Amino acid sequence: MSQNIDKQAVADSFSKAAHHYDQFAQLQRDIGEQLLTSVPNKNYSMIVDLGCGTGYFSEKLAHQFPRGVLTCFDLSEAMLKQVKKRNINKVTFQQGDIDQLPFTENSIDLIYSNLVVQWSDDLAECLQQIKNSLKKGGRGYLSTLLGGTLHELTQAWKTVDKNPHTNQFLSLEKIQAILKQLSVDSVILKTETRTLHYKNVIEVMRALKGIGANHVHEHQTQAISGRKLLKQLEVGYLPFTNKQGLLTLTYQVCYIEIIK
Ligand SMILES: C[S@@+](CC[C@H](N)C(=O)[O-])C[C@H]1O[C@@H](n2cnc3c(N)ncnc32)[C@H](O)[C@@H]1O
């Protein structure tokens, strides 16, 4: 499945969130930590943090692999500015798009990418470019989101209007099929369900906006306003309320390891 994502709009959303991203990114932290535990300790010389965001994991990668030269790569200039404030050693910065990777073929030892490739136009093509960028024996560690992610919010909005208010994510089967076509030495895929809870729908929306993940492809992002609409959304969310009265929000996470 390929889609035509408005990259400028995605960059703008993430750029707006760049200053406060770290306050809202606990889930991203937890998933990124999990991903990092699968990266074996080796002497990587060229490392890329693909879609580095504010550089939380760039800093960790630089610390864990001090011999390597790290490239922090992101679509959003404002995100890269946040990384610069961290003063990481031996780092270069590159603004760019995961769908048009600028790296020389067979040049990278390790690509780490936490919760980014779900923003790709075409995952098959993006993974092909990642593979091409890796040296023989090079490793890619990626996390992404699967179908079923944010399904409660999707269902709740459907009771309000017919517009898309959440993005669609690829199914596990689709990602498995893409990886099968990739022809690399080894692929490991793991999945995990993570469930978050919020007091009300405003908090749910704020959490997505807080990390800049509120751009909905092919739909003008709307702020929810108006008591009536909010009430409707709250009623639509009722089936996804737990015993404590908290709203459930599910993330279906997929961890991918590629060895070229
Ligand atoms: C959810 S954040 C994750 C950031 C970081 N990896 C982390 O774990 O904190 C997604 C990041 O991907 C970047 N991004 C989105 N679409 C991109 C694209 N097409 N090319 C490169 N980066 C992109 C965003 O600017 C944002 O910094």
Side-chain angles (χ1 to χ4, degrees):
M1 187 180 90
S2 69
Q3 39 182 354
N4 208 356
I5 296 177
D6 180 346
K7 299 296 171 78
Q8 188 56 54
V10 171
D12 290 349
S13 279
F14 279 107
S15 290
K16 272 187 205 146
H19 273 98
H20 50 253
Y21 177 91
D22 288 329
Q23 294 165 34
F24 287 89
Q26 192 54 52
L27 176 82
Q28 289 66 23
R29 296 282 173 271
D30 295 344
I31 295 172
E33 294 286 1
Q34 179 71 29
L35 183 65
L36 200 55
T37 58
S38 12
V39 183
N41 265 325
K42 285 182 177 285
N43 279 335
Y44 306 106
S45 39
M46 298 302 287
I47 304 168
V48 176
D49 186 359
L50 202 64
C52 58
T54 60
Y56 180 85
F57 290 105
S58 314
E59 201 165 359
K60 291 202 165 220
L61 286 164
H63 189 251
Q64 199 163 327
F65 308 112
R67 293 193 183 176
V69 174
L70 173 69
T71 300
C72 294
F73 183 90
D74 204 282
L75 189 64
S76 153
E77 195 184 349
M79 284 290 189
L80 290 173
K81 274 190 187 151
Q82 294 298 315
V83 192
K84 284 176 192 165
K85 291 183 188 165
R86 293 181 186 268
N87 291 321
I88 304 169
N89 272 339
K90 290 205 287 184
V91 72
T92 63
F93 300 93
Q94 199 151 4
Q95 191 182 357
D97 183 356
I98 43 169
D99 290 311
Q100 290 173 40
L101 291 186
F103 310 117
T104 310
E105 277 197 17
N106 304 313
S107 65
I108 297 164
D109 299 277
L110 172 66
I111 294 181
Y112 172 92
S113 181
N114 185 41
L115 292 174
V116 182
V117 296
Q118 67 275 11
W119 295 101
S120 163
D121 276 330
D122 183 341
L123 184 64
E125 173 57 26
C126 174
L127 289 176
Q128 192 60 48
Q129 292 185 27
I130 287 176
K131 175 192 156 186
N132 291 346
S133 309
L134 288 172
K135 290 178 187 166
K136 182 77 191 137
R139 289 164 175 265
Y141 293 84
L142 301 93
S143 64
T144 187
L145 299 172
L146 299 172
T149 295
L150 311 182
H151 77 90
E152 299 89 348
L153 185 60
T154 310
Q155 293 305 322
W157 267 116
K158 276 188 184 163
T159 67
V160 177
D161 64 31
K162 290 191 164 38
N163 295 325
H165 291 274
T166 52
N167 290 321
Q168 297 296 303
F169 301 96
L170 295 181
S171 66
L172 177 61
E173 294 72 28
K174 181 73 195 167
I175 293 189
Q176 282 168 327
I178 289 172
L179 289 169
K180 218 172 168 185
Q181 297 291 315
L182 197 61
S183 106
V184 282
D185 259 15
S186 151
V187 172
I188 298 175
L189 191 147
K190 289 183 188 152
T191 60
E192 172 186 64
T193 303
R194 291 195 179 238
T195 312
L196 302 186
H197 292 100
Y198 297 93
K199 277 195 221 137
N200 51 46
V201 283
I202 293 276
E203 267 202 15
V204 172
M205 309 294 278
R206 213 174 262 160
L208 291 172
K209 196 172 173 190
I211 59 148
N214 56 324
H215 172 75
V216 179
H217 312 318
E218 289 159 40
H219 182 61
Q220 200 69 37
T221 308
Q222 267 180 350
I224 32 171
S225 59
R227 276 203 198 153
K228 197 174 156 215
L229 193 146
L230 197 60
K231 189 74 210 155
Q232 269 180 291
L233 192 58
E234 270 168 8
V235 171
Y237 220 115
L238 278 177
F240 313 109
T241 307
N242 72 7
K243 283 185 189 145
Q244 289 74 39
L246 296 174
L247 311 192
T248 303
L249 190 64
T250 301
Y251 284 83
Q252 299 293 355
V253 188
C254 173
Y255 298 93
I256 302 169
E257 178 196 78
I258 294 166
I259 306 177
K260 185 170 167 183

